[in-house]
Amino acid sequence: MLKSFFYPLLLISLAYILFINENAQIIITGIAIFLIGMIFMEDGFKLFSGGVLERVLSKTTNNIPKAIFTGFLSASIVQSSSLISVIIISFLSAGLISLSGAIGVVFGSNIGTTTTAWIVSSFGVKINIAVYAFPMIIFGVLLRFSKNRTYTGLGNILLGLGFVFLGISYMKDGFETLKTGFDLSQFAIEGYLGVLVYVAIGALATIIIQSSSATMALIITALVTNQILYINALELSIGANIGTTVTAVIAAASSNSNGKRLAIAHFIFNIVTGVIAILFLYQLADAVTLLASGIGISNDNYAMKLALFHTIFNILGVLIVAPFTNKLEKFLKTLFRDEKTSVLKAKYLDDIVIAVPDAAIKAIKDETVHLYENSIEVISHALYLHRHKYLGSHDISLVVKNSNAKINIDINQFYSQKIKSLYGEIIHFSVLAQENMDENLKNKIYNYKLASRNIVEAIKNITQLHKNLSFYLKSDNRYIKEEYNNLRINIAKTINVINDLKNSKDDIEVLSNLEVLKEDISKLDDLRNNTIDTLIRDNHISTKMATSLINDLTYAHNISKKLIEVATILWIEDKDIQDLGDDL
Amino acid sequence: MKVKKLFDKIERFCKKPYMKNEEKRTKLERLISKKIKKTKRDVKSSKNIKEIKEIKKKLKVLKKLYKKVKL
């Protein structure tokens, strides 16, 4: 409601400003170009990193100081704290990192993004930056035509950087011309009223522009062209820091509990940092002047002093908030409780990770594993087996023979309510995610979709098998009962072997074991067919029993085959090794 | 035995190689042969007959895999 009212109003006001003021037009164009540049840069890093960023983030967040440093380093290179947040949320959902580690990365990335202010203040305002922007844009466009993912990524980064520089140049030009006709500095307000007003303006500008980096570039160019006072620029930068969390909180509203926890951690951190910076603004400004002279920044270089202030107050925030990370973690866990591990909903498919190919692939794989675990539950119960009793057991035959108690399960209901919905979610997510992917990653997605389909088919087969199984296990005919018990043993053995291989990192080991399993199943199938012939010949089972058994033998064989195919896709990482098992 | 080896050579010559990428092929060959050696050691060290039977099955599969890659 609020959005539908304010958004058109904002557009109309913007159109009016653009129409009446040529200088404002140039400045706003600069902001728009800058934002386009940031989008290109973010897209570029998603393609260019090729999973390196994800690997680094997952391995260097085991303690808080390390996580802060990693967050700082990655955000200063990538220049986007939102990209870091997206990856971190996906890892958090996958259980690869702890919440405290993720919070540490968010703290660090806040310091990391302050490098934008350093770049703008050191290069952007001193030299004619547009001169560098054009070659970057030209080479960026050329590289974007490449089919190679890395080159396309590099092209996007160059293009992004070119647009960022061009945007800064436009903003600077706009303020330079504005200076001659109109003096914004007359609106300067001193004292704490000024502090609050300017902090609010900074926050509001960031909420509207949706990028604190763009707001910082705007503040620095306005400061350099003497449109605002140095102290007011400091206040605006505090506001920008606060404003950026509002956009993060809004974005996380539709995310899962991990996304919400991280957004609130980010919000708390920036609010605490902002309040401290407001309370000690003048002391901090003095400290910046002192430190600036110490590191060789001249007293009248306000742009760099602003960048220094921005970095210092974020570091100060980290120093103050970081010791309470564990308490914050506890608080956030109670604030957003994990949804009950209902199999109805996807656990890893968060819309927020769709845009990051490597994170999206990981989410799809984890969700397919989740689907597999659920299918094992339903298959085991349909066989009247409890997973905790037979998984890991050395004598599965004995466990199966001793487990004849009926387990109440409605497979059709389980399938339609839990498996089908999850399968649907995987397919939907995969279709959306593959739009941002190259051929290699699309093939991976295809494989995971294939694995999900095999899981669903295995369940359809167990549904058929279950009907006769429940009937013949109660039969007085010991021969038919034994044959059905053998079917149960074979499927249980397959599941057990796969369960043992799940955590193996050795692809050859997994493949060879799965191939042995395949051979065993095939041999047993022949053996069972021969046994059925003998049973019919000796009149131990009726014709009706025989036909049921033959059909169910096929279902059992299919279930094992499908599960082995799923295991090959899910637990053999190397595609070449995966393919090696075909037609052996 | 010599005839079998000769046939293998002819087969290898006539058939398309399983893997054209030499680097990948060498990598797989190395991995599988390492695994074969380890599995052979496992056969020797194991005392349980049932276990030996299982390991031998695995060894047979590994040799098939090696042959496929080598081709």
Side-chain angles (χ1 to χ4, degrees):
Chain A
M1 172 69 192
L2 214 61
K3 199 178 173 184
S4 59
F5 173 73
F6 277 109
Y7 198 61
L9 194 73
L10 189 75
L11 289 180
I12 294 165
S13 323
L14 187 66
Y16 178 71
I17 295 167
L18 292 174
F19 184 71
I20 58 154
N21 194 320
E22 205 180 313
N23 295 320
Q25 207 177 75
I26 298 169
I27 295 167
I28 293 167
T29 306
I31 298 170
I33 294 173
F34 186 95
L35 286 173
I36 291 285
M38 294 297 282
I39 293 167
F40 269 111
M41 269 172 73
E42 195 173 312
D43 284 347
F45 271 106
K46 279 177 199 166
L47 290 169
F48 185 66
S49 65
V52 174
L53 191 63
E54 284 86 343
R55 281 198 290 280
V56 169
L57 284 174
S58 67
K59 283 179 186 164
T60 51
T61 50
N62 50 355
N63 65 45
I64 297 164
K66 234 161 125 180
I68 293 173
F69 183 71
T70 308
F72 159 70
L73 205 66
S74 35
S76 20
I77 296 168
V78 178
Q79 288 287 307
S80 166
S81 59
S82 57
L83 177 62
I84 307 292
S85 298
V86 166
I87 298 170
I88 284 300
I89 290 171
S90 70
F91 283 174
L92 202 53
S93 302
L96 286 173
I97 56 167
S98 63
L99 180 61
S100 56
I103 294 172
V105 174
V106 168
F107 289 171
S109 69
N110 249 46
I111 305 173
T113 45
T114 62
T115 48
T116 315
W118 284 100
I119 294 169
V120 177
S121 61
S122 48
F123 304 111
V125 289
K126 281 182 189 162
I127 46 178
N128 187 8
I129 205 164
V131 177
Y132 299 97
F134 297 128
M136 281 180 183
I137 292 171
I138 293 165
F139 283 106
V141 169
L142 287 176
L143 283 170
R144 280 197 89 225
F145 287 127
S146 167
K147 281 183 182 169
N148 184 309
R149 197 172 170 231
T150 313
Y151 286 135
T152 315
L154 192 65
N156 273 352
I157 296 170
L158 272 181
L159 201 57
L161 213 55
F163 278 133
V164 163
F165 282 6
L166 195 65
I168 294 168
S169 163
Y170 265 86
M171 284 187 238
K172 209 170 84 178
D173 289 351
F175 278 120
E176 288 281 0
T177 355
L178 190 72
K179 193 165 66 176
T180 52
F182 191 69
D183 188 10
L184 271 177
S185 61
Q186 63 183 304
F187 296 105
I189 309 167
E190 285 193 16
Y192 263 94
L193 176 71
V195 176
L196 295 176
V197 168
Y198 275 88
V199 167
I201 294 172
L204 197 69
T206 311
I207 293 167
I208 295 169
I209 305 174
Q210 301 260 313
S211 162
S212 64
S213 299
T215 315
M216 278 310 291
L218 192 67
I219 298 166
I220 293 169
T221 43
L223 177 68
V224 172
T225 49
N226 296 322
Q227 288 296 316
I228 48 173
L229 292 179
Y230 169 62
I231 196 75
N232 293 145
L234 301 185
E235 292 148 10
L236 285 168
S237 70
I238 299 169
N241 242 41
I242 294 170
T244 190
T245 55
V246 176
T247 54
V249 168
I250 294 168
S254 60
S255 183
N256 59 16
S257 51
N258 284 319
K260 284 176 188 147
R261 283 172 188 157
L262 219 53
I264 294 297
H266 197 184
F267 182 73
I268 292 173
F269 168 76
N270 279 25
I271 292 293
V272 169
T273 313
V275 169
I276 292 165
I278 292 169
L279 289 176
F280 300 102
L281 178 68
Y282 297 104
Q283 289 83 349
L284 274 171
D286 289 342
V288 166
T289 312
L290 204 70
L291 204 66
S293 59
I295 56 171
I297 299 171
S298 63
N299 203 30
D300 58 346
N301 191 345
Y302 292 116
M304 287 194 91
K305 277 167 74 179
L306 173 62
L308 184 62
F309 171 79
H310 195 211
T311 308
I312 283 178
F313 92 77
N314 271 293
I315 292 176
L316 199 66
V318 171
L319 291 176
I320 292 166
V321 184
F324 301 101
T325 309
N326 290 331
K327 280 189 179 165
L328 187 62
E329 183 184 10
K330 271 186 195 163
F331 165 70
L332 291 169
K333 277 185 176 166
T334 49
L335 193 64
F336 300 104
R337 291 189 184 280
D338 279 325
E339 292 145 18
K340 279 182 186 167
T341 45
S342 155
V343 281
L344 277 168
K345 275 185 130 188
K347 268 164 87 177
Y348 307 102
L349 306 179
D350 194 334
D351 286 349
I352 207 160
V353 302
I354 281 184
V356 187
D358 293 291
I361 286 275
K362 172 116 190 58
I364 295 168
K365 186 188 171 181
D366 290 345
E367 205 56 63
T368 316
V369 173
H370 182 210
L371 181 70
Y372 173 82
E373 299 296 350
N374 284 321
S375 73
I376 295 307
E377 182 190 343
V378 70
I379 292 171
S380 303
H381 289 182
L383 295 172
Y384 301 134
L385 293 172
H386 285 290
R387 285 162 296 167
H388 67 273
K389 282 188 181 165
Y390 79 92
L391 290 180
S393 162
H394 292 292
D395 195 351
I396 288 187
S397 309
L398 189 72
V399 177
V400 169
K401 278 173 188 165
N402 291 334
S403 313
N404 282 325
K406 198 176 172 186
I407 300 171
N408 280 327
I409 181 168
D410 184 344
I411 304 178
N412 285 327
Q413 195 188 15
F414 193 102
Y415 171 74
S416 62
Q417 284 186 350
K418 300 185 175 179
I419 300 290
K420 204 176 171 187
S421 58
L422 205 55
Y423 178 49
E425 280 192 63
I426 292 173
I427 298 297
H428 178 75
F429 187 88
S430 304
V431 170
L432 295 180
Q434 67 190 22
E435 279 179 30
N436 308 312
M437 291 177 181
D438 61 13
E439 279 309 307
N440 185 27
L441 291 180
K442 275 182 187 167
N443 282 337
K444 273 192 178 178
I445 294 236
Y446 172 78
N447 275 337
Y448 293 135
K449 283 201 282 190
L450 195 69
S452 305
R453 201 178 72 192
N454 282 334
I455 294 169
V456 170
E457 281 174 13
I459 293 169
K460 285 189 174 172
N461 279 294
I462 198 72
T463 315
Q464 298 299 326
L465 177 64
H466 181 70
K467 288 173 195 164
N468 288 330
L469 188 73
S470 57
F471 181 73
Y472 287 119
L473 278 184
K474 285 183 284 184
S475 171
D476 294 331
N477 184 327
R478 68 180 174 94
Y479 296 101
I480 192 79
K481 207 171 165 180
E482 177 136 5
E483 282 311 303
Y484 272 94
N485 267 336
N486 283 330
L487 292 188
R488 294 167 73 206
I489 293 166
N490 292 344
I491 301 172
K493 273 185 180 168
T494 307
I495 297 172
N496 194 39
V497 170
I498 295 174
N499 194 55
D500 286 344
L501 295 173
K502 273 192 317 197
N503 298 322
S504 172
K505 298 274 174 220
D506 184 348
D507 284 352
I508 298 286
E509 172 78 15
V510 178
L511 179 73
S512 54
N513 280 303
L514 289 176
E515 285 304 317
V516 170
L517 197 59
K518 258 191 217 173
E519 283 187 5
D520 283 352
I521 289 163
S522 180
K523 274 183 198 162
L524 277 170
D525 210 29
D526 296 340
L527 198 72
R528 291 269 77 79
N529 275 320
N530 291 335
T531 316
I532 294 169
D533 290 351
T534 318
L535 288 173
I536 297 169
R537 228 179 359 250
D538 298 345
N539 277 328
H540 287 314
I541 56 171
S542 66
T543 330
K544 195 186 161 200
M545 283 176 182
T547 49
S548 298
L549 192 56
I550 291 168
N551 286 338
D552 291 335
L553 199 63
T554 314
Y555 291 134
H557 182 84
N558 282 348
I559 294 166
S560 295
K561 214 175 109 187
K562 298 285 171 200
L563 294 181
I564 292 171
E565 281 171 22
V566 172
T568 310
I569 295 170
L570 292 181
W571 291 294
I572 298 179
E573 287 291 327
D574 192 319
K575 184 77 180 69
D576 295 324
I577 299 176
Q578 245 181 46
D579 295 340
L580 205 57
D582 297 339
D583 307 317
L584 193 66
Chain B
M1 201 62 197
K2 276 183 181 173
V3 180
K4 196 186 173 296
K5 273 186 182 174
L6 183 70
F7 269 110
D8 278 352
K9 273 186 184 172
I10 296 167
E11 196 185 2
R12 218 176 293 167
F13 182 76
C14 298
K15 271 195 176 181
K16 274 185 187 173
Y18 171 72
M19 202 166 263
K20 280 182 187 168
N21 188 325
E22 190 64 27
E23 204 181 321
K24 277 184 185 177
R25 200 166 63 89
T26 324
K27 187 193 92 181
L28 283 179
E29 258 181 55
R30 190 171 43 81
L31 282 173
I32 300 169
S33 81
K34 209 169 129 188
K35 196 84 204 160
I36 289 175
K37 277 178 197 163
K38 193 190 168 288
T39 315
K40 277 181 182 170
R41 278 203 304 272
D42 288 347
V43 174
K44 279 182 188 167
S45 64
S46 181
K47 282 174 185 136
N48 185 330
I49 297 170
K50 207 177 157 191
E51 202 180 279
I52 293 173
K53 216 174 137 188
E54 287 299 314
I55 302 171
K56 277 188 175 171
K57 274 190 207 169
K58 200 166 102 181
L59 193 62
K60 206 174 143 192
V61 167
L62 284 167
K63 281 180 180 170
K64 274 189 196 174
L65 290 172
Y66 186 77
K67 204 176 161 191
K68 190 176 177 181
V69 177
K70 194 86 178 162
L71 208 67

